[in-house]
Amino acid sequence: MAGSPVKIGLLIPLQKNLLVDYSVSNIPIFQGGNVIGRNNLAISDKRVSRKHVSLHTTVDGSAEIVVEGPNPVIVKSGDQRKKLSTQDKALIVHGDIIELIPGNYLFKYVTVGSEHASSSKTDSSFLRKEKRHSVEESSAVKRNRHILEDEALERTLLDNDNLEQDDVVAITPGHSQLKPPEVLASCGNTEASRHFSVPKDRLSLIFRLMRVQGIPAWANSCSVAIRDVIQGNVLVAVLSNYMVDIDWLMSGCPDLRKIPHVLVIHGESGATVDHLKKNRPANWILHKPPLPISYGTHHSKAMLLVYPQGVRVVVHTANLIYVDWNNKTQGLWMQDFPWKDQQNLNKGSSFENDLVDYLNALKWPEFNVHLPVVGNVNINPSFFKNFDYSSSKVRLIASVPGYHKGTNLKNWGHMKLRGVLEECIFDKEFCKSPLVYQFSSLGSLDERWLAELAVSMSSGILNDGSPLGSGKPLIIWPTVEDVRCSLEGYAAGNAIPSPQQNVEKDFLKKYWARWKANHVGRCRAMPHIKSYTRYNGQNLAWFLLTSANLSKAAWGALQKNNSQLMIRSYEVASSDSDCDGTKGRGRSAHLLMDWRREGEELIGALEEALLLGIAVRGEEWRSWR
């Protein structure tokens, strides 16, 4: 309408660490006079007056702030902090920060710009961008909390202000600015195989990469988006994750609105949980699993989708947030399984046991639903025994918090992986072959624990009955230069965090290998994927796709003379080693990539293996539309 006020910008609420505060609403700023006070903030703090400050703005975005209340206000512009008393005035510009009470109630002034001020379409786009940036900043906080989960004495991330060094270093928050186009251009295009493709007869639809915005079309030709995963006539959905942005989820996957029953198992807390509860559809159930040990999280990323024809099981690496499904290198494994025949209801499998045991540990509140196939049923862990998993060629490797000992010692974490690999027979070429650890967050490691993990990942026997032998780990992580030249610039570092002292430990230097993904066009899509494998040349002994980063909290640490495994967090992974639960034979899978060392760089990426659906056989994924 002609009389509608012209919006000039917003006051974005900030926490004291200058990240966006979701518990407080944005304050719109219009052309002319604006009054900000206690009523705008919905607080009872009497230090903030009802008319605390006024902002007088013009159409070009410039603004003058006037202190109306009795208490001082701080305006921070760049590195300068200016104290304003009653009736003092100051000019503020885009990016300036206002402290309504010194050190408290921080707001960032963000302008829309005069060329956009009268365009409602552009204005809504601006708001969406602001919200997206807010989600990214919030994601960084939660990820930083996760990497500290196994460090009871290391509770504060160190600021990393020296991002220009050449060595592999931690990427810490605080450098969230997006990289300008000219920086992107200066990084060069390193994709080595623009016309790379996978023959259809070799493309499994089980291990997949997720779609990434801003990379060549050929690199997305075999990838999937969330709409490709959650599709069709889903009757019940169980979504397990760490972070959940319900607003993006409902827009990014509209089919979720049609599902009659949705259970969301999450690791959120604080204001985000309140937002989830307030905005969830009535048919959604929220559940946060118990965390009996401090500094643990529910970090598992999986989905169970019940169809009239059966169940789809998905293990993946992305949080349910925008940046994870659009800007990062991510992977997933999924397979569909039919209902059991009536005569085989009591017939189980290793995969079924892995799955049901893990679901039991989550302790979700069961609920009753009516399914057209079987009538009224309780959706609890035992319900998932109704499906035939005999076609699965993977095992689930899960982590559950607690102190595991006795007969439970090899039920979870790296000891579960050790037990699975001990059942496998491998070709001689894998004797003492290297291990690859590829992840996004690095915990506080010591050499003893890294050797403990290597023992589990080196388990198995050769054809002649001798041990497979220990493999040297290669730890793949991006460098600062990789992050600088990424699709997101330094902002990508928010998802690749670790305290500086964790990264610079001397014993790690001999293990570092550089992140490369030329062949799948993802060198500049920073890895949030977590994958572990054992290889020789272009052949793989086994492959693991997981939510678990390289930390004791995720994998567990042996205690009490190796008689007890302590785990802090929930994790879940799919592992392919071609074992049937007794004795199996590890397969060799030819890959269309190079595995070789050039100094401290490992050329070729595990993600290529995902694209090829390595080491997976049997029926291909069936689309239940």
Side-chain angles (χ1 to χ4, degrees), residues 19 140-149 151 153-160 170-174 441-442 493-494 496-503:
L19 297 179
V141 174
K142 294 169 187 174
R143 283 178 170 130
N144 293 339
R145 184 175 74 240
H146 175 61
I147 66 165
L148 298 178
E149 60 200 3
E151 305 171 29
L153 299 178
E154 296 179 19
R155 306 170 82 173
T156 306
L157 282 174
L158 297 182
D159 290 330
N160 178 18
I171 307 300
T172 56
S441 295
L442 180 71
N494 288 327
I496 319 170
S498 180
Q500 189 89 3
Q501 70 267 25
N502 286 0
V503 183

Side-chain angles (χ1 to χ4, degrees), residues 159-167 169-172 175 480 490 500 504:
D159 290 330
N160 178 18
D161 295 323
N162 184 18
L163 286 173
E164 299 303 323
Q165 54 189 302
D166 296 328
D167 296 333
V169 299
I171 307 300
T172 56
H175 301 273
V480 169
Y490 283 134
Q500 189 89 3
E504 294 184 339

Side-chain angles (χ1 to χ4, degrees), residues 176-306:
S176 59
Q177 68 272 24
L178 292 177
K179 173 178 43 37
E182 59 269 20
V183 176
L184 260 180
S186 70
C187 295
N189 186 346
T190 59
E191 280 80 7
S193 304
R194 172 179 271 288
H195 302 293
F196 170 80
S197 62
V198 181
K200 289 185 178 180
D201 61 345
R202 298 190 60 208
L203 176 63
S204 167
L205 295 179
I206 294 179
F207 282 103
R208 305 294 294 275
L209 285 174
M210 294 183 187
R211 197 162 298 153
V212 177
Q213 293 183 354
I215 64 174
W218 62 264
N220 276 325
S221 60
C222 300
S223 60
V224 294
I226 192 169
R227 296 187 188 196
D228 303 317
V229 180
I230 304 175
Q231 58 169 241
N233 185 22
V234 182
L235 305 175
V236 178
V238 179
L239 309 180
S240 170
N241 220 294
Y242 175 42
M243 298 164 60
V244 181
D245 178 357
I246 192 170
D247 300 318
W248 169 79
L249 190 57
M250 300 300 280
S251 62
C253 188
D255 281 359
L256 274 171
R257 298 181 183 275
K258 307 173 187 176
I259 301 175
H261 307 279
V262 178
L263 170 64
V264 178
I265 303 171
H266 65 89
E268 296 282 16
S269 58
T272 306
V273 173
D274 295 336
H275 184 75
L276 277 172
K277 291 178 179 178
K278 181 179 179 181
N279 293 278
R280 67 177 177 86
N283 61 326
W284 284 35
I285 298 173
L286 304 178
H287 174 65
K288 184 173 182 177
L291 294 168
I293 303 179
S294 59
Y295 306 104
T297 60
H298 177 263
H299 196 245
S300 299
K301 297 167 178 63
M303 301 179 188
L304 300 171
L305 307 176
V306 179

Side-chain angles (χ1 to χ4, degrees), residues 336-465:
D336 294 341
F337 302 99
W339 295 87
K340 284 180 179 177
D341 295 332
Q342 288 299 312
Q343 60 269 29
N344 293 324
L345 289 178
N346 295 322
K347 185 178 180 181
S349 65
S350 297
F351 183 91
E352 178 181 305
N353 294 336
D354 295 339
L355 177 63
V356 174
D357 285 349
Y358 175 69
L359 297 181
N360 271 314
L362 297 176
K363 302 186 185 305
W364 78 59
E366 68 176 51
F367 53 99
N368 187 268
V369 304
H370 180 82
L371 300 180
V373 179
V374 293
N376 290 326
V377 293
N378 287 327
I379 302 300
N380 55 28
S382 295
F383 166 78
F384 291 93
K385 293 181 178 180
N386 291 307
F387 304 98
D388 181 3
Y389 305 102
S390 59
S391 63
S392 172
K393 298 302 177 184
V394 303
R395 293 290 299 272
L396 289 184
I397 311 293
S399 291
V400 169
Y403 298 94
H404 309 291
K405 51 190 174 183
T407 57
N408 295 323
L409 182 63
K410 290 188 177 181
N411 283 0
W412 313 109
H414 76 74
M415 291 301 291
K416 171 71 171 184
L417 178 62
R418 182 182 298 190
V420 169
L421 293 178
E422 284 174 345
E423 299 172 347
C424 297
I425 301 174
F426 294 95
D427 292 337
K428 185 174 291 187
E429 65 175 307
F430 297 114
C431 179
K432 298 184 178 179
S433 60
L435 301 164
V436 171
Y437 304 162
Q438 182 275 309
F439 51 91
S440 58
S441 295
L442 180 71
S444 178
L445 309 182
D446 56 70
E447 199 155 14
R448 178 179 177 180
W449 181 81
L450 204 60
E452 174 185 311
L453 182 67
V455 170
S456 291
M457 295 205 171
S458 298
S459 296
I461 60 175
L462 296 170
N463 299 340
D464 59 6

Side-chain angles (χ1 to χ4, degrees), residues 124-136:
S124 65
S125 174
F126 168 79
L127 291 174
R128 286 195 299 271
K129 289 179 181 177
E130 286 301 324
K131 179 179 179 181
R132 186 173 300 165
H133 294 164
S134 298
V135 170
E136 291 176 6

